[in-house]
Amino acid sequence: MVVDPYQKREASKYKNPIPSREYISSWLQKCQDLISQKNLEKKFGINNQEEKKALRRRLRAMERDGQVIYTKNHCYIAPESLKVIKGKVIGHRDGYGFLRTETLKDDLWLSSEQMKSCIHGDIILAHIVNNHGKRRSSARFLKLLQPNNVLIVGRYYIDSRMNFVIPNDTRFSFKIFICSAIKEDISTGSVVVVKLKQHPIRNVKIQGLIVEVLGKEMNTNLAIEMALRTHSIPSLWSEEIKKQLYTIGNKINQSDLKNRVDLRHLPFFTIDDEDARDFDDAVFCKRQINSPEEGWNLWVAIADVSFYIQPDTPLDKEALERGTSIYFPSLVIPMLPEKISTDLCSLNPHVERLCLICEMSLSNKGELISYKHYEGIICSHGRFTYDEIFRMWNGDVLLCSKYKNFLKDIKNLSYLQKILNKDSISKKGIYFENIEPRFILDSDSRIKSIYQNTRNDAHKFIESCMILANIASSRFVEKHKHPVLFRNHDRPKKDNVISFRLFLNELGLTLLGGDVPESTHYSNLLRSVSNRPEYEMIQTILLRSMKQAVYSPDNRGHFGLSLSSYVHFTSPIRRYPDLILHRVIKHLLLKNKDISINNCNYSNSFLYSINEMKKIGLHCSITERRADEASRDVVDWLKCDFMHKKIGAILNGVISNVTSFGFFVRLNHFFIDGLVHIASLNDDYYYFDSLGLKLIGKSRRNTYCLGDSLQVKVISVNLNERKIELSLYKT
């Protein structure tokens, strides 16, 4: 053993000297691993109880002063030798898990043993362990930073007088034992909501309390209730909010029109899906007759939600908490109560509505030349669906006759659409022709039939109008340098670009642009393959290689749209960032024009600070993902419920994804994916080619890759796990 260089100093101070702090720190740094006090005692030759107590006191003092780290599994390690990282735990149904971090490219492996100290959703501090010879590094749990206190949805069972709940989310791979008497009689198999009594402790059963019983027989309403609880989504309005709603008038007063531009004479139209409930945007356009370029004037009127929802009120706080409206196939969980979302702020036909206007001047090529924002009042002259507008553009006699008084203005929209389509904003960016299934539900809110939701020119026109209004709004707030939430879409990671190019090479295709391709390189690629049978497959892989868009006050541009800056202006009824932007625009109008903005107490200072915007942006990005996940949960249940009736059916489909454990087949006409597990491919031993995204037979060299058409048989449907199992059908 190396002698402690500070041994004499310690001996002069203590009757029973132990290793100095310096020596302990030096030894731990060389060790570079977790070590218990018992093993430290052996290393330092400490045997008697007094010295053991002294070592324990010294280690605690060193922990207090940051010289050592003490972990939950009662071990010590030197901070200098520890690769510490913070991350979110992602559980797996088989008991192990992963640690997802913001800095590392790949998730870290968490063994089943490590998962005994944490659960899915926890934020933890962990030690990175490099597993030599293995593909993935692992993480060793150190400390719980932020427990996942979410309520857990599961099914209730009784076995040998033990009451327990099995979580519906398989990422919670444990039973929850109900630790107290249940007040009501709950039948076995019921869906319940559980609150954990304590966080996981090694070798101790996880206990919880039942706080709500949702039901037993699965249906669409129960699937929605489960999704709301699973993702902690608020869905009820408090008494405080109801009181505030009562104080909001049902009619527009004359005083509300002060400093507003009266546009009630202009024939604005709302154009939406047939089943739309809230109408937050309306459009009108006309030619610039006196302009030498003969361009266009385009008005986009957006419901003035900020007039009714003032900052820091109960309604505002609840809207921020929700972040976004959530659209389930049979139900909407709105960001704002119906009095606001479907009444006062819905641009219903033939009623006067307060709006924030973005008026734009466009060239004869559809380019944005100038713009201005102002408060206005409009009266929508008509509520149309995309299909109706598209049919009138194409000469539908009955509809043209029915709406003959509006035909001139409707045709103007068509002329502008043709111009926008030639130099379309989406052509500069990456435009995805997504195949979206639409469900027709029966009286029980279950799928009756499925059809493809085809986007026509009317969809594309309204989308272009909204993008133009967003661009104009982004330029306006940028010019005034006020903190705002940008809609950022970062360029793909370098590794994702490399992987996508390797995939394209398999198809004999090339993505131009060198090491850092621009949006136009991707859009040019998609246009060049639009008529190829692999188009949908290429689009799918490209989409997977892209990053998610987020909200942030740090402007990083929108890669997908090929724009240097972008904001969301057009949907304040259903998106909180849009409501924030409306307030900022009003604030800037007040500040720069020295006028009294209606129902507005904004000062001349910044309305929101950068730090406030960062917090709101992060929260809204999270609520957006939360809404997508909740909606997906319900849609997946509806699909499985629909396919349950088709067990045994022989269907045609196309391979939509290939993994190491099998491939997914998208069933024609239903747009539903099912899994053909690799274990069912018993004619050969198949291995996964991750570059070509294909399964290859080792002996016969049969391959299964993206885009392959084949016949499959529906083997089973697991409604609880939302899984559809298929097998190949060979005649």
Side-chain angles (χ1 to χ4, degrees):
M1 178 190 296
V2 178
V3 178
D4 182 354
Y6 299 95
Q7 189 176 38
K8 287 183 180 180
R9 184 192 69 191
E10 297 297 311
S12 66
K13 292 172 65 176
Y14 303 104
K15 185 179 179 180
N16 295 308
I18 58 171
S20 64
R21 287 192 180 203
E22 294 90 342
Y23 183 57
I24 293 172
S25 292
S26 175
W27 193 90
L28 286 173
Q29 286 177 41
K30 291 176 182 176
C31 175
Q32 292 191 344
D33 204 355
L34 299 170
I35 188 167
S36 66
Q37 180 177 332
K38 189 174 181 180
N39 286 331
L40 280 171
E41 290 166 2
K42 290 180 181 178
K43 293 289 183 184
F44 297 142
I46 295 174
N47 299 311
N48 68 62
Q49 290 301 315
E50 286 302 318
E51 289 179 344
K52 288 180 180 181
K53 288 179 182 178
L55 178 63
R56 183 159 57 249
R57 287 193 296 269
R58 174 151 291 176
L59 288 168
R60 285 177 179 172
M62 292 175 70
E63 180 196 1
R64 180 195 63 215
D65 296 337
Q67 293 174 303
V68 298
I69 291 177
Y70 181 63
T71 66
K72 188 177 179 180
N73 52 352
H74 312 299
C75 288
Y76 294 91
I77 192 166
E80 295 84 358
S81 62
L82 186 61
K83 296 178 183 176
V84 176
I85 195 144
K86 174 184 172 183
K88 183 177 182 179
V89 176
I90 308 297
H92 190 276
R93 59 180 295 174
D94 292 333
Y96 57 85
F98 301 94
L99 187 65
R100 186 157 297 163
T101 69
E102 294 181 357
T103 54
L104 297 178
K105 172 190 167 188
D106 296 318
D107 296 339
L108 299 169
W109 166 270
L110 283 166
S111 68
S112 300
E113 187 66 22
Q114 297 300 314
M115 286 295 291
K116 290 179 181 178
S117 301
C118 53
I119 65 172
H120 169 74
D122 282 348
I123 306 297
I124 68 169
L125 197 67
H127 166 42
I128 302 175
V129 180
N130 293 319
N131 298 330
H132 299 292
K134 293 188 178 179
R135 192 172 60 180
R136 189 191 295 269
S137 294
S138 60
R140 195 175 289 176
F141 178 91
L142 288 177
K143 194 172 186 179
L144 177 66
L145 298 178
Q146 185 181 326
N148 182 8
N149 292 322
V150 68
L151 298 175
I152 297 177
V153 178
R155 287 195 178 267
Y156 172 75
Y157 296 100
I158 304 173
D159 185 26
S160 302
R161 297 184 181 179
M162 295 289 289
N163 303 329
F164 62 91
V165 171
I166 297 178
N168 188 65
D169 187 339
T170 57
R171 292 173 297 186
F172 297 107
S173 59
F174 47 78
K175 292 180 181 178
I176 305 170
F177 291 88
I178 305 307
C179 55
S180 63
I182 301 165
K183 294 180 181 179
E184 59 181 299
D185 187 22
I186 306 174
S187 60
T188 185
S190 295
V191 178
V192 298
V193 183
V194 179
K195 181 179 181 180
L196 295 185
K197 187 179 178 183
Q198 61 188 21
H199 227 64
I201 301 174
R202 283 176 177 273
N203 303 319
V204 175
K205 290 179 178 178
I206 296 178
Q207 298 182 337
L209 303 167
I210 292 177
V211 297
E212 191 177 7
V213 180
L214 297 180
K216 187 173 181 179
E217 297 301 322
M218 277 302 298
N219 54 44
T220 307
N221 289 337
L222 182 52
I224 291 172
E225 292 297 327
M226 290 170 68
L228 294 176
R229 304 308 188 283
T230 297
H231 299 282
S232 302
I233 295 170
S235 59
L236 302 176
W237 306 111
S238 68
E239 288 302 317
E240 194 178 17
I241 284 174
K242 291 176 183 176
K243 287 179 183 178
Q244 186 186 346
L245 284 172
Y246 186 74
T247 65
I248 297 175
N250 295 318
K251 292 184 179 179
I252 298 172
N253 298 319
Q254 194 63 32
S255 60
D256 299 335
L257 304 185
K258 185 181 178 182
N259 294 316
R260 285 190 182 268
V261 178
D262 191 346
L263 301 177
R264 285 174 286 190
H265 61 290
L266 295 182
F268 279 91
F269 302 129
T270 61
I271 305 173
D272 296 273
D273 283 313
E274 191 172 345
D275 56 357
R277 294 181 61 198
D278 51 66
F279 313 108
D280 50 11
D281 59 80
V283 296
F284 167 68
C285 72
K286 69 175 184 179
R287 292 183 188 273
Q288 296 174 343
I289 299 173
N290 298 323
S291 169
E293 288 191 359
E294 293 187 353
W296 289 81
N297 283 335
L298 171 65
W299 285 260
V300 173
I302 305 298
D304 191 358
V305 179
S306 62
F307 176 85
Y308 298 97
I309 311 298
Q310 293 293 298
D312 297 323
T313 59
L315 274 171
D316 179 54
K317 291 174 183 176
E318 182 66 17
L320 172 58
E321 175 61 28
R322 297 188 178 207
T324 181
S325 297
I326 304 175
Y327 296 87
F328 297 112
S330 61
L331 179 73
V332 177
I333 305 297
M335 184 180 81
L336 296 166
E338 288 191 349
K339 181 175 181 177
I340 303 294
S341 60
T342 62
D343 186 7
L344 296 178
C345 288
S346 185
L347 308 184
N348 300 323
H350 315 303
V351 291
E352 296 177 352
R353 289 290 182 255
L354 305 180
C355 292
L356 193 57
I357 309 294
C358 180
E359 181 183 338
M360 292 166 279
S361 176
L362 309 177
S363 72
N364 56 12
K365 293 182 179 179
E367 299 161 325
L368 180 61
I369 298 172
S370 63
Y371 57 85
K372 57 182 176 179
H373 295 78
Y374 51 86
E375 291 183 299
I377 179 170
I378 73 162
C379 179
S380 171
H381 284 44
R383 181 271 199 255
F384 295 99
T385 67
Y386 294 116
D387 184 57
E388 286 174 329
I389 292 293
F390 182 68
R391 284 162 58 192
M392 280 189 278
W393 285 355
N394 286 277
D396 186 293
V397 176
L398 290 177
L399 282 174
C400 287
S401 175
K402 182 179 179 180
Y403 297 111
K404 60 184 179 182
N405 294 336
F406 303 137
L407 208 53
K408 176 185 173 184
D409 297 299
I410 290 171
K411 284 186 176 179
N412 268 346
L413 299 179
S414 172
Y415 297 144
L416 181 55
Q417 156 58 14
K418 289 173 183 175
I419 291 171
L420 293 175
N421 196 42
K422 284 181 184 176
D423 188 52
S424 173
I425 300 161
S426 60
K427 285 183 180 178
K428 296 176 184 176
I430 307 166
Y431 181 73
F432 294 100
E433 280 283 2
N434 292 327
I435 296 178
E436 296 180 5
R438 294 294 296 268
F439 303 143
I440 296 176
L441 304 181
D442 60 20
S443 57
D444 294 324
S445 297
R446 290 179 135 114
I447 296 176
K448 182 179 180 182
S449 60
I450 304 173
Y451 67 97
Q452 181 180 340
N453 185 31
T454 306
R455 283 166 47 87
N456 58 41
D457 283 345
H459 289 87
K460 296 171 185 176
F461 171 68
I462 292 299
E463 183 182 71
S464 294
C465 291
M466 298 305 113
I467 290 174
L468 283 167
N470 288 339
I471 292 171
S473 301
S474 180
R475 291 180 185 177
F476 178 71
V477 293
E478 263 200 302
K479 182 174 68 176
H480 292 93
K481 303 186 185 307
H482 191 287
V484 73
L485 286 179
F486 290 98
R487 181 63 167 175
N488 289 330
H489 183 230
D490 291 330
R491 61 174 62 251
K493 291 181 180 178
K494 186 176 180 179
D495 289 339
N496 288 357
V497 175
I498 292 170
S499 297
F500 182 59
R501 280 196 164 120
L502 289 170
F503 162 72
L504 291 176
N505 288 342
E506 293 282 327
L507 301 174
L509 297 170
T510 303
L511 172 67
L512 301 177
D515 292 339
V516 188
E518 297 297 333
S519 309
T520 49
H521 297 116
Y522 286 97
S523 58
N524 290 338
L525 169 70
L526 286 179
R527 278 199 296 274
S528 70
V529 299
S530 59
N531 294 322
R532 289 181 58 149
E534 308 98 332
Y535 175 73
E536 187 184 345
M537 171 182 67
I538 295 167
Q539 183 178 254
T540 300
I541 301 302
L542 171 55
L543 193 57
R544 288 176 192 161
S545 74
M546 293 285 165
K547 287 188 177 181
Q548 280 188 315
V550 296
Y551 294 105
S552 170
D554 303 318
N555 180 23
R556 300 194 300 274
H558 197 293
F559 183 78
L561 291 172
S562 191
L563 295 169
S564 60
S565 69
Y566 195 63
V567 293
H568 275 166
F569 168 76
T570 55
S571 297
I573 287 178
R574 61 183 179 88
R575 290 190 306 228
Y576 195 78
D578 302 52
L579 175 56
I580 289 273
L581 179 62
H582 279 224
R583 288 175 181 160
V584 170
I585 289 173
K586 283 189 172 188
H587 168 74
L588 294 173
L589 291 174
L590 171 65
K591 183 178 178 182
N592 293 292
K593 293 187 178 180
D594 194 28
I595 61 172
S596 173
I597 296 294
N598 289 293
N599 198 21
C600 176
N601 299 316
Y602 306 147
S603 68
N604 285 333
S605 61
F606 277 170
L607 183 59
Y608 294 94
S609 70
I610 285 286
N611 286 336
E612 286 176 315
M613 281 293 190
K614 281 183 178 177
K615 290 178 183 177
I616 294 171
L618 178 61
H619 174 74
C620 289
S621 298
I622 291 170
T623 57
E624 180 183 40
R625 290 194 292 272
R626 179 179 73 177
D628 289 341
E629 289 169 2
S631 179
R632 195 180 305 118
D633 283 354
V634 175
V635 168
D636 286 348
W637 183 84
L638 279 167
K639 289 177 178 179
C640 287
D641 178 62
F642 177 76
M643 291 304 299
H644 196 264
K645 304 163 192 170
K646 304 199 178 291
I647 292 176
I650 312 299
L651 302 168
N652 295 320
V654 175
I655 294 179
S656 58
N657 193 16
V658 183
T659 71
S660 59
F661 53 84
F663 53 83
F664 290 88
V665 176
R666 179 159 299 161
L667 302 173
N668 296 349
H669 309 300
F670 299 145
F671 312 102
I672 293 174
D673 289 7
L675 174 67
V676 176
H677 199 279
I678 195 168
S680 69
L681 305 175
N682 50 23
D683 63 332
D684 203 344
Y685 173 81
Y686 287 85
Y687 65 91
F688 177 50
D689 174 7
S690 59
L691 296 180
L693 287 176
K694 58 180 77 170
L695 290 177
I696 304 173
K698 192 171 183 180
S699 300
R700 302 185 182 182
R701 309 302 293 175
N702 287 338
T703 62
Y704 296 100
C705 61
L706 283 169
D708 285 354
S709 297
L710 33 72
Q711 272 195 325
V712 291
K713 183 177 182 180
V714 183
I715 300 300
S716 66
V717 176
N718 189 321
L719 289 168
N720 289 333
E721 296 185 12
R722 318 301 204 246
K723 290 182 178 179
I724 300 166
E725 185 181 354
L726 309 171
S727 67
L728 289 177
Y729 179 74
K730 296 179 180 179
T731 55

